[in-house]
Structures are given as C-alpha cells and as structure tokens.
Amino acid sequence: MQNRSSHGLLVAGLVLYATAGLTGCAEMQKAAEGAARSSGNERLAKTIHGGGTLIGGLLPIGYEEEQTIGQAIALQVVARYGGIYDQPDLTRYVNLVGRSVALTCDRADIDYRFAVLNHDSINAFAAPAGYIFVTRGLLKTIKNEAELAAVLGHEIGHVTQKHILDVIQRSKQIAGVAEAGLAYANKNPDAFKNVIDGAVKKLLDEGLDQGKELESDRLGVTFASRVGYDPTAYETFLDRLRTLKGDDRAFFKTHPDFSNRLSAVRSTISEQKLKTTGILLADRFNRSSDGKL
C-alpha cells in the first residue's frame, strides 16, 4: 500500500509529465488529478484541474477549430455588411483572381473563399480558415486586376499569419478557455459566442494591431507579384485611397495611416526586388465588373 509521500511523488511526476508533454495531456491530467484526490489532497486536485484548462488555452488553435471560428465570424461580417452581393459572375471573377494569388502564398494548403459584400463602404475583411470579403464600395475604387490581386493578397496575408487567431488565443488565455471549436460551441454556446463577439469587435470596430496591417501589406504585394502582377499597382491604389479618405479618423482607427502603408509597400518592392512587369489587366477587370457595381 502506498503511503502519503509516495502518492505525492506520483502526483508530482504526473503533473510534470502532463505539463511537459502537452500532447495527450488530458489523460495525464485526469490521472494526476485522480492521484491527488486519492491521496487526500483535494486542493492539489483542483489546482491540476485548473492547470489543464490553462494548458489548453496555451495550445495552438487547430484547423478544425479554425474552420468553426472562421465560419462564425464570417456570418457576423455578412450580417453587418449588407449581406452577400448577388452578382454570381462578379463573385466568380473575384474568386478566380483571389485563388490564383492564394496559390502563391505561404499557406496554400487550405481552401480560400472570396465574396463581395453589398455595402458602399471601402473595406475588406479576412476571417480565419480563408473566408475573405471585399465590399462593393471597395471594388468601385479599384481600377485594374493588379490592384484587386494586391488587395486580396493583403487579406490572404491576415489568414496566413493567423492574425485573428492570435487575438482569440490571447482571449482564450485570459478567459481560461481550453478549446474554441465545434465541440466547445456545442457544449458552451454562450462562452463560444463571447469569444466570437470579441474577435468580431476587434476585426470590424477596433482594428488589428497596426504591425499586423503593415505585415499584410508587405505580404499582399509579394503574393500578387508572384502571380506576375505589377507590384506598383498596390502603391497606386493606396495613394488613391489616401486621396479619397484624407484624414478620415474613423478609417485610421482600424488601419495605419497611408504614409506608413506606402512606405512598407515601397520598401518591400525594393528589398525583395519585385519586378515592375506592367501587367495591370485593366480591360479584364472592367469587363468583369462593368455594370455590376
């Protein structure tokens, strides 16, 4: 029969194993919790139980979780921005351009889906797992396919770098949430809704960290350039937005100012020696969007 001190050693060993291993830690956590409880140390058992939740909060979000989160965020984006714009040919064209850019990105092994939102504002959004939206208002400001490719590349960059997932990961740690996928949504619908609401507020109202936006600018022009589009098209587009938006503080609440964005794009073109190809495809963009916006 084991004495109390040997129980303590067993519990300590199991805790260390569960904490260090992480993979399969649920079983080890359960064993450690049971050992602590059988040794009479209820307080330690409760600590181990809480520790498992903390460990879960620190674990990366898996792709299955990401899909559930992405779909939930995408639904809120569609609801707040006027629904999906009912122009199948235009949507098909945006998907063709977007998917060609996505093939060149550093996370090309997931499905990317592109949709146009029926909204006059000038904006675009990316939800986890590759759900990407551009507003009808944004498409009206674009002059050629190279500009569209860079804009979609910017949003793809948010997905490849898992920017929104970083936000959710931090909120999970703060809330002590061990998971956030479909199983969690079914078990804890209110808590899951809070996680999603927080991510949507960050995405639509507060904006991501400016460093993340600038990183996506650099990635967007790089991805589009890999397809063959002229990288200077993105400069032209941002310069046009600066003229249109001026010092619109509501816009800068969610994005860096245009001087910083243009500087990031120009330095990327220079440092990566992206070729000025002259490929803009204005005629194809105009044919695909003419009369549909």
Side-chain angles (χ1 to χ4, degrees):
M1 187 177 186
Q2 289 177 299
N3 59 30
R4 193 178 183 89
S5 62
S6 64
H7 262 302
L9 287 172
L10 173 62
V11 170
L14 287 171
V15 170
L16 284 172
Y17 185 40
T19 305
L22 293 183
T23 302
C25 67
E27 292 77 11
M28 295 308 301
Q29 177 206 351
K30 190 175 179 181
E33 187 179 338
R37 187 159 285 117
S38 65
S39 72
N41 194 336
E42 185 63 26
R43 183 176 178 182
L44 179 58
K46 290 180 178 176
T47 301
I48 294 168
H49 184 82
T53 301
L54 177 60
I55 292 167
L58 295 171
L59 287 172
I61 294 173
Y63 183 58
E64 187 177 356
E65 279 181 284
E66 181 179 349
Q67 285 181 303
T68 306
I69 292 167
Q71 289 166 5
I73 291 175
L75 286 172
Q76 291 208 30
V77 171
V78 170
R80 283 187 50 176
Y81 275 80
I84 298 295
Y85 190 46
D86 187 20
Q87 283 287 348
D89 289 344
L90 179 63
T91 301
R92 190 175 303 112
Y93 171 67
V94 171
N95 271 272
L96 285 172
V97 175
R99 288 175 181 175
S100 70
V101 176
L103 285 174
T104 74
C105 79
D106 300 328
R107 198 183 176 206
D109 59 333
I110 66 171
D111 289 332
Y112 290 83
R113 303 167 181 84
F114 302 84
V116 180
L117 296 168
N118 189 15
H119 204 274
D120 285 330
S121 65
I122 300 172
N123 225 326
F125 307 101
Y131 295 92
I132 292 173
F133 302 94
V134 293
T135 60
R136 185 164 46 82
L138 174 63
L139 290 178
K140 285 181 179 177
T141 69
I142 287 175
K143 302 298 183 186
N144 56 57
E145 190 171 298
E147 292 179 4
L148 174 62
V151 168
L152 297 177
H154 172 105
E155 299 305 323
I156 291 168
H158 283 310
V159 177
T160 66
Q161 301 311 107
K162 302 183 177 181
H163 286 159
I164 279 291
L165 292 184
D166 284 347
V167 172
I168 292 174
Q169 189 76 357
R170 287 199 294 271
S171 70
K172 282 174 63 183
Q173 292 169 27
I174 293 170
V177 173
E179 55 184 331
L182 183 59
Y184 183 67
N186 289 333
K187 286 188 297 186
N188 305 281
D190 291 340
F192 180 76
K193 184 175 183 303
N194 287 338
V195 169
I196 298 303
D197 286 349
V200 170
K201 183 178 180 183
K202 188 72 175 173
L203 178 66
L204 302 185
D205 301 328
E206 298 173 354
L208 298 170
D209 298 344
Q210 299 213 348
K212 288 181 168 55
E213 293 293 347
L214 294 175
E215 182 182 31
S216 289
D217 278 333
R218 287 189 284 268
L219 289 171
V221 71
T222 301
F223 297 158
S225 178
R226 287 176 182 170
V227 181
Y229 294 110
D230 194 321
T232 62
Y234 198 34
E235 282 187 70
T236 306
F237 172 72
L238 291 176
D239 205 32
R240 187 179 312 121
L241 274 190
R242 177 164 61 180
T243 302
L244 287 171
K245 290 289 186 181
D247 58 354
D248 183 348
R249 302 313 301 173
F251 188 79
F252 289 131
K253 187 173 66 173
T254 58
H255 289 79
D257 64 62
F258 287 112
S259 294
N260 285 333
R261 298 185 69 180
L262 281 163
S263 177
V265 170
R266 285 168 181 153
S267 65
T268 301
I269 293 172
S270 174
E271 290 164 7
Q272 298 193 22
K273 298 181 172 53
L274 303 181
K275 291 183 180 178
T276 304
T277 62
I279 297 175
L280 301 177
L281 303 182
D283 289 346
R284 189 156 74 181
F285 177 81
N286 290 332
R287 281 199 305 274
S288 300
S289 60
D290 187 37
K292 301 181 179 69
L293 296 172

